[in-house]
Amino acid sequence: MRGLDFSGRPRERRRLILDILYEEDAARLENVWVLADEVRRKYVGDRVHLRGLIEFSNRCVRGCTYCGLRSGNRLLTRYRMSREEILECADLAFSFGYGTVVLQSGEDDELDPRWLGEIIDAIKQKHSLAVTLSVGEKPVEHLRLWREKGADRYLLKFETSDPELFKRIHPRRRPEDPGRLELLAALKDLGYEIGGGVMVGIPGQIYMSLYHDLELFDDLDLDMIGIGPFIPNIRTPLGREYYESKTRPPDQAPNTDLVTHKMIALARIYRPDANIPATTALASVDPCGFEGGLKAGANVIMPNITPLAYRSLYQIYPHGFFQSREETHNRIMHAIAAAGRKPAVGRGDRRRGGVSGNAPVSQPGPGNADCSHFRG
Ligand code: 5AD
């Protein structure tokens, strides 16, 4: 791992990345955190962009084997929020000073594209908020309509770059449907900022596959990259398989916060000007998750502003506890300060080539002694 020179030939770079992914020694890993932090500061600055997450529907027609919203999970009460409820969340995001709202749902086939288009329009008319959509694999005509109504960004994680593994965990509906990579390309053509990402530690996912994930972030020219640990959900086939520890190859990548932090750091080094969140998945397995993600190279947090009654039904994976929206907001503000950073103002669009006007925050934060593998 000497020197951390990422500019070498592809083979050398691959070796370096695999070395980092396998590395356990804290002192040697320190070089990775320092480099990712330098790149982060230089390209996207010290400010943390806040995107208010509105989980407006947990209805889903898909059968992804890892996800608790899968249609086969009959134990889940399903909901779709009303237009008024969604707009109230957008008002709250604005009052908290966030620059973006993220409208997220399961793949809800009965979602009327015009209904969602009108909500996007209403948010854009009322507030200077960016609108991000995260509603799954949708027909291109719907994506076009929402873009025309003012949607700015679209998140569609590809979960893993390994096509065989993806096929296993994400059954296709119809063979003729475009895959997620094709949809990301279509979204880019429509003028959306596009976000992709992966889970780390999916049963059957090997270290080498994580290296390919990083290459794919680059190939797709992603504007946003979301990386979280795979969290086994006992109400899903893959969650049960995880606990029965079948199908684990010898070089299985673990679903730890350490490997997730390494992937965030490497994504930052690969894609210096991308917007990279400290994900909710990370924060739900680790009380210092937001802070840890920020220290590893993230520059975005997505505070959950879904009303509590619905939030408890948005069970992608098991949650420890729920806080009110105000408590969530305060916890995130605390995590930002603890990481020595400040909340950003404005929409936080990707700035190609990085920022120069983003004034550095001079004082390093106090940190939190419980956040283990980062120093200081
Ligand atoms: N563990 C971690 N992340 C998950 N997601 C879904 N299920 C899980 C899980 N078990 C994430 C995926 C997906 C998004 C809806 O939530 O990345 O894209």
Side-chain angles (χ1 to χ4, degrees), residues 64-69 104-106 134 155-159 180 197-200 202 226-233 236 238-239 255 281-282 284 314-318:
C64 306
T65 64
Y66 48 88
C67 180
L69 302 192
Q104 185 171 89
S105 69
S134 176
L155 304 177
L156 189 64
K157 291 194 187 175
F158 50 84
E159 317 297 359
R180 289 197 172 186
V198 295
M199 293 183 287
V200 173
I202 306 165
I227 300 167
F230 165 72
I231 304 171
N233 181 341
T236 65
L238 200 63
N255 58 340
L282 201 47
S284 70
Y314 204 81
Q315 295 170 7
I316 293 181
Y317 40 71

Side-chain angles (χ1 to χ4, degrees), residues 339-353:
R341 314 268 279 277
K342 292 232 164 98
V345 279
R347 296 165 34 123
D349 295 318
R350 173 181 173 204
R351 303 234 209 131
R352 277 180 189 272

Side-chain angles (χ1 to χ4, degrees), residues 303-358:
N304 198 318
I305 50 167
T306 313
L308 261 187
Y310 296 123
R311 209 176 146 186
S312 59
L313 295 173
Y314 204 81
Q315 295 170 7
I316 293 181
Y317 40 71
H319 291 273
F321 62 100
F322 293 101
Q323 291 175 311
S324 72
R325 302 186 289 182
E326 287 71 20
E327 285 164 341
T328 303
H329 174 76
N330 290 337
R331 175 163 73 107
I332 286 170
M333 290 299 156
H334 183 81
I336 292 172
R341 314 268 279 277
K342 292 232 164 98
V345 279
R347 296 165 34 123
D349 295 318
R350 173 181 173 204
R351 303 234 209 131
R352 277 180 189 272
V355 292
S356 49
N358 209 339

